[in-house]
Structures are given as structure tokens and as C-alpha cells.
Amino acid sequence: MSSLDAKLNAALFSREQREIRRRLPQPSSASSETELIDFSSNDYLSLATSPILRERFLSKLNDSPDVLGSGGSRLLVNGKTHSSLETRLAEFFQSPAALLFNSGFDANAGFFACIPQAGDVVVYDEYIHASVHDGVRASRANNAQFSFSHNCLASLRRLLIKLLDERHGLVNGQSSLFIAVESLYSMDGTFAPLAEIVELCEELFPMRNAYLVVDEAHSTGIYGPQGRGRVAQLGLENKVLARLHTFGKALAATGAVVLTSTLVRDYLLNYARPLIYTTSLSNANIIAAECSFDMLENGVAENLANNLMDLVTHFLDILRPRLQSIPPSLVSLPPHLHSPDAADALNAPSPIIPIMTSQPRPLSSYLLNLGMNARPITWPTVPKGKDRVRVCLHSGNTREDVEKLADGVISWAEAIVLEQKRARKTVQRAQMKAGLDVFMESKL
Ligand SMILES: Cc1ncc(COP(=O)(O)O)c(C=O)c1O
């Protein structure tokens, strides 16, 4: 075995040992996967299986002169369909400019690698997506990046004050500070306190050199008027430097758009490597995205989102009381979902519902055997000790589906509790018997 092979094998073996080795799902199970109830994909509005969207897409494909490929990088080919979608999206999202990327990952990686300049600082929520980390790592702010505790305004305030104390450029406005957050966090289903972060920036940075960048990957299509996202819902369009909307989740397409100023757009066109050195989205991709945005504009998506929220409420209403008899270490909901009374705009339920458990794989397998697909999520995707089964509800799920899911979670937990009781009794009996034997022997 070559030295390289040995090292790669050792790394994979180590992951295997720690039960964190990633694997693609078996292709043989792919067909049965479609028969499973989907509690896993990010297809929140079930648009991927919408006959209306499919019909619209096929018909537009048929009518379009350009369908296949795109011919090259945006900087080298005509890209008429791309420019036209950008114009449409800038208007739809009420943004000065829009720029397409091949994926949300590319957009974040490209943006954060090139926009922060020498002397600038990047601050991000500790749960920020991997693509932001990759971008910042490649940027001139690589040695000036800091995280704050998840959604914690006090932690962010402390960090910003410390940075202002240490870096004169931030005080006199010669340097810039970027704050990266997700409007809805993909693993926790929690909302960033966007309005409060904007207020904090305005309070601490009177020179207006703190810039908020919001990743709306998981809120696109679901929140805000016509599914325009949380920034639009809160009316903060003019308070953020950039917003990212991805097409691969609720919109059942591929690609992403960065909404920003014309200057930042122009800079990205010149410096964002994942945009410059790649073949742009194919025309078919653009047509698919156009069709999905039709669904947002014509109100279909809003109806689907309302239905989705009803399902979320129903699921939590039936699960919460039944969890009370289960040890929280075995299965619990995260604090923001403990009680419907505690829910405010920030703690409102979302379609992402983490079922916290110390045994995510056995729970996920149990659900799979009952015909439900909800994936286990473990470290390093989530912090150590925060393992979970990530449940994602979809507009296409039924009330019966979510009731079946609640039944499955509870029956699994009850079986484990029973098993643990039996095991304890067996140990107790063995201990009593051992004690009795000792007693009897002492009488002999
Ligand atoms: C918060 C967030 N941002 C960006 C991305 C990347 O988007 P895409 O799937 O379009 O590359 C994802 C997807 O995993 C995500 O969850």
C-alpha cells in the first residue's frame, strides 16, 4: 500500500471507529426511498413532486430555444437567460442588483473569499454554514475571524465591543466588519435575531462600517411576503449588505442568487473565483428556477407554506405532551420548542424540528423500518453532545404522516425505557441472588 493510501485509509478508519464515517446512501435503496415518508429532504414545499411545477417546467422547456448547457463562464458567454432571471430577481426581492451563482456553496465561498479587504474582520454565528468558513479561510480576513454563541446577542455585543477596543480601524471607519448569519439555521430550526443585530450594529458602529450578510437558504420560499425570506418579512432589505437565496431547497431547483448593491455585484464579477472559473448554470437550470419563482409570485407557494406551518403546529402539539413521560436524555425537543407559550417571532416553530437524542442512529433506523426517512445528525455536523434526528416537515406530508412520526418516536423511546427497566431488574435480581448465596454460605 502506498503511503498516501495508508494515510487516507487511516483517516477513514478513524472516522469509522468514531462512528462518523460518511457514506452515500446505497443506490439499491434509492427506489424504496421514494416510498418512504419524507421527513428528511429540504424540499419544504414539496415542489419537487408538484405536478403543477413539473407541467410548467416541461412546457417552458419545450418552448425555449435554448435548453441544454450554457456554453461557459458567465464572463464569456451571452447569458441572456441568466441576465433576465437576475433582473427579475432584483425586482422581486427589491434589491439594487442580483448575481447568480451555481450553488449557495459557491456564492458564500466566493463572497466571503473576496469581499473582506485587508484589515477587515469577519464575525459569524458559531453555527454558520461550512461554505462561509471556506470563504473566510481563503480571504484576506483569514486571521481576523471570530465566532459568537449561537443567536446570542449578548455574546455578539461582547465580541463587537472587544473588537472595537482592539482595532482602531473599526472605530474610525477605515476597516469594515462583516457579520454572517443564517436567517433560519438548518440543523436547529432557529431564527437569527436579524432586527436586533441591525440595531446593535447601528448602535456600536456609527460610521456604518458593520455589514450584515444573511444566508436565507432555508427560509427562501417559506417566510416573508411571497416567500421572499426573513429579511423581507422584517422589512430589512436596506439594512443588509447582501442576502443569499438558494434554489436547491424549497424551490426544488439548482443554483443561488446574491442580492446586493451594484458595486458589490460588479466586484464579485471581477473577483469571485467560484463565479469566474466555472461553467454557468445550464439554460434548463435557469428555466427551472424561473418556474419555481412563478410559484412564489402567483401565491401557490404561500398556500403551501401555510399548510406546512399547520403541520408543524400539529406535530408539535401531539409530540410535546407525550414526551413528558420520556427521559429527556433519551428524546427531547430543544428549548425553543419546549412550550407553545414561549414561542415568539424568534422562537416560532419552523419545518426543521431537531429531535434531540443520545441515540440518533438507532432512532433513525427504527423510523426507517416503519417507512419514515428522518436522518441522524451527529458531530462534526453538530456540536458534540447535541446529536439528533433532524426532522424536516414538508407541505406534502399529511396529518396522518406526522401522527405516525410522533407515534414512532414515542414507541421507540418507550421500548428503550422498558428495556432499560428490565436490564436494571435483571442486575438487581442477580445482585440479590449473589447476596443471598453469600448469606446462605455464611449459615453453613
Ligand atoms: C445555510 C446554507 N447555506 C448554503 C448552503 C449551500 O447551498 P447549495 O445547496 O445551493 O450549495 C446550504 C446547503 O447545505 C445551507 O444549508
Side-chain angles (χ1 to χ4, degrees), residues 20-314:
I20 56 167
R21 180 163 172 173
R22 294 181 167 115
R23 282 195 167 84
L24 292 175
Q26 284 298 312
S28 57
S29 66
S31 63
S32 58
E33 192 140 311
T34 57
E35 283 145 34
L36 296 172
I37 303 174
D38 179 11
F39 291 123
S40 165
S41 79
N42 294 321
D43 179 28
Y44 303 110
L45 300 178
S46 301
L47 284 182
T49 50
S50 158
I52 307 172
L53 181 56
R54 182 189 161 94
E55 185 62 28
R56 184 180 283 265
F57 174 56
L58 293 177
S59 146
K60 273 206 181 176
L61 271 186
N62 240 339
D63 295 345
S64 299
D66 303 316
V67 169
L68 299 172
S70 66
S73 161
R74 274 304 290 291
L75 293 152
L76 297 178
V77 295
N78 176 336
K80 200 171 74 188
T81 46
H82 297 64
S83 299
S84 141
L85 177 59
E86 283 171 347
T87 306
R88 175 187 184 182
L89 295 185
E91 205 171 299
F92 177 67
F93 286 106
Q94 292 165 17
S95 168
L99 183 61
L100 293 175
F101 279 79
N102 286 4
S103 71
F105 196 103
D106 281 0
N108 271 334
F111 183 97
F112 283 99
C114 76
I115 297 295
Q117 305 293 301
D120 289 352
V121 176
V122 181
V123 159
Y124 42 77
D125 187 288
E126 62 177 325
Y127 290 176
I128 201 73
H129 194 259
S131 49
V132 173
H133 286 288
D134 281 19
V136 180
R137 236 176 254 151
S139 79
R140 280 171 278 198
N142 182 27
N143 55 3
Q145 47 171 316
F146 306 90
S147 69
F148 59 93
S149 306
H150 176 54
N151 272 354
C152 178
L153 281 167
S155 164
L156 176 59
R157 173 182 280 278
R158 272 195 304 277
L159 176 58
L160 296 183
I161 290 174
K162 184 168 174 285
L163 290 167
L164 282 163
D165 267 357
E166 293 168 354
R167 292 166 191 257
H168 194 57
L170 290 179
V171 180
N172 66 18
Q174 289 305 302
S175 312
S176 304
L177 178 133
F178 299 87
I179 302 180
V181 295
E182 294 174 29
S183 51
L184 174 61
Y185 285 87
S186 60
M187 292 297 143
D188 291 75
T190 42
F191 296 99
L194 296 177
E196 290 78 358
I197 294 176
V198 166
E199 263 175 39
L200 189 60
C201 290
E202 289 181 352
E203 177 197 330
L204 298 179
F205 291 81
M207 307 290 288
R208 298 284 180 269
N209 54 331
Y211 299 99
L212 185 56
V213 181
V214 184
D215 181 337
E216 299 248 34
H218 292 271
S219 46
T220 307
I222 312 176
Y223 293 96
Q226 296 175 300
R228 281 187 262 131
R230 289 280 292 172
V231 170
Q233 187 173 32
L234 298 166
L236 298 173
E237 289 97 330
N238 298 327
K239 303 280 186 176
V240 302
L241 174 68
R243 286 175 271 168
L244 167 70
H245 288 275
T246 62
F247 308 158
K249 301 184 193 301
L251 302 190
T254 295
V257 66
V258 171
L259 305 164
T260 188
S261 65
T262 49
L263 173 62
V264 171
R265 180 183 190 273
D266 199 14
Y267 191 89
L268 288 169
L269 267 177
N270 278 275
Y271 291 97
R273 296 165 70 86
L275 176 92
I276 301 165
Y277 299 107
T278 193
T279 303
S280 55
L281 289 168
S282 77
N283 288 300
N285 287 148
I286 300 294
I287 294 167
E290 291 271 9
C291 292
S292 298
F293 279 102
D294 289 348
M295 309 284 274
L296 265 59
E297 275 182 350
N298 67 17
V300 170
E302 223 159 1
N303 289 337
L304 295 173
N306 288 339
N307 180 49
L308 173 61
M309 291 311 153
D310 286 347
L311 281 174
V312 170
T313 307
H314 182 55

Side-chain angles (χ1 to χ4, degrees), residues 5-23:
D5 285 0
K7 286 173 191 164
L8 301 186
N9 269 321
L12 290 174
F13 182 68
S14 160
R15 285 209 149 183
E16 186 89 56
Q17 296 257 294
R18 290 175 289 148
E19 295 187 10
I20 56 167
R21 180 163 172 173
R22 294 181 167 115
R23 282 195 167 84

